Amino acid sequence: MRMRLILLMLLLVGGLVGRADVAEDFSLSKGINPDETSLLVIDLASGETLAEMNADKPLIPASIMKCVTTATLLSRLDEDASFHTEVYLTGPVRDGELEGNVIVVGSGDPSLNSRHVEGGKDICREIGSALANRGVVSIKGRIVVDEGIWDGPAIPPSWMSGDLPHAYGTGSHGLNFEDNASGSRSVSNPAAVFDARLRSALADRGIAIEGESIRERERTLLVDHVSVPLDEIMRSCMMRSDNQYAEALLRSYAVASGHKGSTEKAASMEKDYWRKHKAPMSGVNIIDGSGLSRQNRVTARFMAHILSERSENPYYASFFPLAGQEGTLRNFLVDTPLEGYVALKTGSMKGIQCYAGYKLDDDYAPTHIIVVMMNDLGNRTSAREGLKKALLALFNN
């Protein structure tokens, strides 16, 4: 019996040494700065830490901030919730003329007429059809877009100016439209694009807009444009790493909590939420929802806490791209035993490469938490190869 106990202890010690070696070997990988790199792998069933390196060091997370944003919003809204963009008339229809305005109230829906979600309806066609069904052939007043759902600027002040002209650096508005982008370029006034598209759709139906200034009267609902469910928007955001979607989701957390949707207020509320839920907040600084700001700071332990909190939510786990198969992880761990068994959100900037997510079982249920944050990166390809070796060593069955 004593010999069996000794053998068991040796096996356990050997396993711990092997795991320690994985973290040490990873720290020696080409392309990374070990002082600016963190690693944390935790077994969800036992709570055991399988590998750890600088887990409490605050680092720039890049797009793995989207993991935090979606996890936080799911605390307020169900996965089947939708955005409602409402359209009102402010006058009666007499002899085919609307004696008032058309008011479009933005909901912050990031997917409005987006090319990235399936099943979404064209709001311009909806409005045109609804007006035609009421016999409207002319609008005496104007088209008015109400973007009052958000407070504060569309673009966080900490974003780098070089990012702003690009589609990935576009802002989040009370009325987002067609991804707030034209090709690869950012659109600074999506409401103006919407206005032009709506006018064209109405002209196709023979509806004229006279554009007189008319005092607003009592509103009558014309259209309630309902987005696809929230889980589809979140999945699209995470799979493609869409910054505009993520910023709208963060601001929607403030609105769902009864506040105006400024980025600053929403980020502060997000920090308060996780503080109340016992997350380790030392060094954590949340500035935006997408991770585009280089002022964001999180620790691997903070990220692991959030991943643990949401690990039993099957919708949340499904947002993460599968290694070797989906989204931003399509080319990672291809043709290895971990292809399809690791689901990670990626985050990359100049000098930064981060990963956060799960090891999965055969039923796609999370079994382990994986967080890797590499700042002050040298060679990105070499760093990824080092991480690949570390994960294969940890999960070698």
Side-chain angles (χ1 to χ4, degrees), residues 145-279:
V145 177
D146 179 352
E147 298 191 86
I149 191 170
W150 293 159
D151 268 352
I155 295 173
S158 62
W159 284 11
M160 297 180 68
S161 60
D163 291 329
L164 307 188
H166 304 285
Y168 69 81
T170 195
S172 172
H173 299 257
L175 187 109
N176 302 298
F177 187 71
E178 294 182 352
D179 304 306
N180 300 350
S182 177
S184 63
R185 308 300 290 175
S186 171
V187 167
S188 60
N189 188 358
V193 178
F194 165 76
D195 182 272
R197 295 281 191 276
L198 179 56
R199 288 175 181 273
S200 177
L202 297 185
D204 288 344
R205 288 184 171 272
I207 300 174
I209 302 172
E210 297 177 24
E212 292 186 21
S213 181
I214 299 176
R215 181 175 58 85
E216 183 174 329
R217 306 172 189 173
E218 183 178 350
R219 295 182 177 187
T220 302
L221 184 66
L222 175 71
V223 169
D224 178 11
H225 174 88
V226 183
S227 74
V228 298
L230 185 62
D231 73 291
E232 294 184 33
I233 293 173
M234 287 183 167
R235 187 171 295 110
S236 180
C237 172
M238 292 277 280
M239 287 285 174
R240 299 179 298 102
S241 202
D242 191 302
N243 295 326
Q244 187 264 130
Y245 273 42
E247 295 305 323
L249 294 174
L250 174 65
R251 300 176 84 161
S252 295
Y253 174 67
V255 172
S257 304
H259 298 270
K260 284 286 190 177
S262 75
T263 302
E264 183 179 6
K265 179 63 176 179
S268 175
M269 293 177 64
E270 184 171 69
K271 284 186 284 188
D272 287 343
Y273 172 83
W274 289 110
R275 187 178 292 109
K276 290 175 182 176
H277 285 76
K278 310 302 182 183

Side-chain angles (χ1 to χ4, degrees), residues 5-51:
L5 182 60
I6 291 172
L7 288 172
L8 179 60
M9 291 177 65
L10 288 172
L11 286 171
L12 288 171
V13 171
L16 291 172
V17 171
R19 289 166 183 168
D21 286 345
V22 168
E24 183 177 351
D25 289 347
F26 175 62
S27 73
L28 299 174
S29 300
K30 292 181 180 179
I32 75 167
N33 178 347
D35 294 330
E36 297 294 324
T37 297
S38 63
L39 168 70
L40 187 58
V41 180
I42 299 173
D43 186 319
L44 279 166
S46 67
E48 180 186 1
T49 297
L50 303 188

Side-chain angles (χ1 to χ4, degrees), residues 69-131:
T69 301
T70 51
T72 308
L73 186 55
L74 283 173
S75 73
R76 282 289 179 182
L77 298 178
D78 292 334
E79 58 275 352
D80 59 353
S82 297
F83 290 90
H84 291 257
T85 302
E86 296 174 336
V87 183
Y88 295 91
L89 306 182
T90 64
V93 177
R94 293 192 178 96
D95 298 325
E97 182 176 66
L98 168 63
E99 297 179 355
N101 303 314
V102 176
I103 309 291
V104 182
V105 182
S107 62
D109 178 6
S111 68
L112 192 65
N113 278 46
S114 172
R115 67 185 186 278
H116 297 302
V117 293
E118 296 182 2
K121 295 181 179 179
D122 183 336
I123 189 172
C124 297
R125 291 181 180 177
E126 283 185 283
I127 296 170
S129 178
L131 287 170

